[in-house]
Amino acid sequence: RCPLKESNMVSRYRKEFLELEKIGVGEFGSVYKCIKRLDGCVYAIKRSKRPLAGSSDEQLALREVYAHAVLGHHPHVVRYYSAWAEDDHMIIQNEYCNGGSLQDMLLENAKLGQYLPETELKEILLQVSMGLKYIHNSGLVHLDIKPSNIFICHKMAVAGPAGQEESDSEDEFSSGVVYKIGDLGHVTSITNPQVEEGDRRFLANEILQEQYCYLPKADIFALALTVALAAGTAPLPHNGAMWHHIREGNIPPIPQKLPHLFLELLKLMIHPDPVERPSASALIKHPVLSPSREKAVQLQKQLNVEKCKTAMLERELKAARLAETLMKDQTLGSAKLQESETSSKQNSKRLVGGKSCRSVSFTLGY
């Protein structure tokens, strides 16, 4: 790995991007909403703290870049575009999520005394599980799943050719919101882990015990607590009796009524034994979540069927109109032909009559 070094080059950041506003501050540094001058698109630019070279922050920065390089593109992972070092700062160009973070949403809800409803909690659990499945199948673990690292994209609807609204999102979800996993600074390999502990409030006990046999299950543990916070549970403790109580397999109190099966699933996700926790793949197929997903998929299928029916009817109507036009042309042509034949016969009769020999009598004398 090459350490970051100070550069005297003209700032690429200032040259290529127009900074609009600061939209976040975190462990890594600050995040800015920027417009790229070349394409006019909006991006989220992460700029690391100073000094970076040789520090632990440098390792987090490089780890995030390497993780993005391995993962590529997935609809439930914040998209990575580019990264470079500049004046002892690491700068990362990522996808801009127009809905902010889940943490931002929860803070707003707390001010209003509101909680996310069951349907939305299931959407979060389902979609983040999809992102985790992709990360885990790529041989990596996130190790810092929490509300501030889950980002929200509101699906943009554009007018279709027939005035219909079409979504530009790659997935169809009933809520109209796509949840994405971001901040990959703690990502590490499953088979050769170099664990940098994330937020203690969301940390599974086995990670603290340096038991790394079931690293993906630590992400499942953190996801359950993230959903509990979205459901309205009180802020999680950093340590103490309640911290240990949670790690004994107890979901912290949730101030809204949720189905028993849903609560049991969350409880299973924080089971003290990581082996007992479901995998991300199992969560996606879980009966508690699949009806929501199946409904969205079924509605999309029905819509596709209706579109096919409409297209077929349009083709049949077009064919019928074409056939009608051909029949009219044929009828008209036939009528003209018949009229022509009738006229021809009449002319022929007159012509025959003109050539008829009249009776002539000749008297021959001998």
Side-chain angles (χ1 to χ4, degrees), residues 40-297:
C41 295
V42 180
Y43 296 93
I45 306 294
K46 298 178 72 172
R47 195 163 185 264
S48 67
K49 298 172 183 174
R50 182 195 292 270
L52 186 63
S55 68
S56 60
D57 288 335
E58 179 187 5
Q59 296 306 312
L60 289 177
L62 291 172
R63 190 177 290 197
E64 176 158 11
V65 173
Y66 297 146
H68 275 299
V70 170
L71 287 174
H73 177 51
H74 185 270
H76 296 294
V77 177
V78 172
R79 190 169 186 175
Y80 161 83
Y81 289 94
S82 182
W84 65 96
E86 162 177 317
D87 292 332
D88 208 18
H89 290 274
M90 170 65 88
I91 297 179
I92 303 175
Q93 177 190 352
N94 281 337
E95 170 187 9
Y96 171 69
C97 295
N98 57 12
S101 71
L102 179 59
Q103 177 69 10
D104 297 333
M105 180 191 287
L106 299 187
L107 289 174
E108 285 299 313
N109 284 353
K111 290 177 185 176
L112 301 171
Q114 297 176 348
Y115 317 118
L116 291 179
E118 177 195 340
T119 52
E120 203 61 32
L121 296 174
K122 288 181 178 179
E123 287 287 345
I124 294 169
L125 185 49
L126 175 62
Q127 295 188 38
V128 177
S129 293
M130 290 177 174
L132 285 177
K133 177 186 175 183
Y134 177 73
I135 292 172
H136 296 166
N137 286 351
S138 300
L140 302 174
V141 283
H142 189 277
L143 293 185
D144 202 23
I145 295 292
K146 56 184 178 179
S148 58
N149 289 340
I150 294 172
F151 296 88
I152 300 168
C153 285
H154 295 289
K155 294 197 293 187
M156 304 298 288
V158 294
Q164 297 174 330
E165 288 193 345
E166 296 180 351
S167 169
D168 66 354
S169 172
E170 297 167 55
D171 288 287
E172 295 298 330
F173 291 99
S174 57
S175 65
V177 173
V178 179
Y179 295 96
K180 299 174 180 264
I181 300 168
D183 198 341
L184 308 185
H186 291 267
V187 167
T188 192
S189 166
I190 294 174
T191 55
N192 185 27
Q194 296 178 17
V195 175
E196 182 76 29
E197 291 177 6
D199 194 321
R200 279 184 61 90
R201 295 171 298 172
F202 300 87
L203 207 59
N205 194 48
E206 67 267 15
I207 302 300
L208 286 175
Q209 304 301 323
E210 299 185 2
Q211 298 171 359
Y212 302 148
C213 298
Y214 303 100
L215 282 176
K217 299 300 183 71
D219 285 343
I220 302 301
F221 180 93
L223 177 54
L225 294 182
T226 296
V227 173
L229 281 173
T233 194
L236 299 173
H238 288 85
N239 48 43
M242 178 55 77
W243 189 93
H244 288 283
H245 183 67
I246 291 171
R247 276 138 194 92
E248 289 168 0
N250 300 295
I251 287 289
I254 294 175
Q256 62 169 303
K257 187 173 178 58
L258 293 172
H260 175 72
L261 290 176
F262 188 33
L263 292 173
E264 285 298 310
L265 176 59
L266 294 181
K267 190 173 180 181
L268 184 62
M269 290 169 68
I270 62 165
H271 197 285
D273 183 358
V275 177
E276 296 297 324
R277 298 174 205 153
S279 65
S281 298
L283 280 173
I284 293 168
K285 299 172 185 175
H286 198 280
V288 167
L289 300 181
S290 56
S292 172
R293 184 186 180 207
E294 284 175 5
K295 183 179 178 183
V297 172

Side-chain angles (χ1 to χ4, degrees), residues 346-358:
Q346 288 175 349
N347 290 336
S348 177
K349 282 180 180 179
R350 283 196 294 272
L351 196 58
V352 169
K355 288 184 178 180
S356 297
C357 293
R358 292 193 178 121

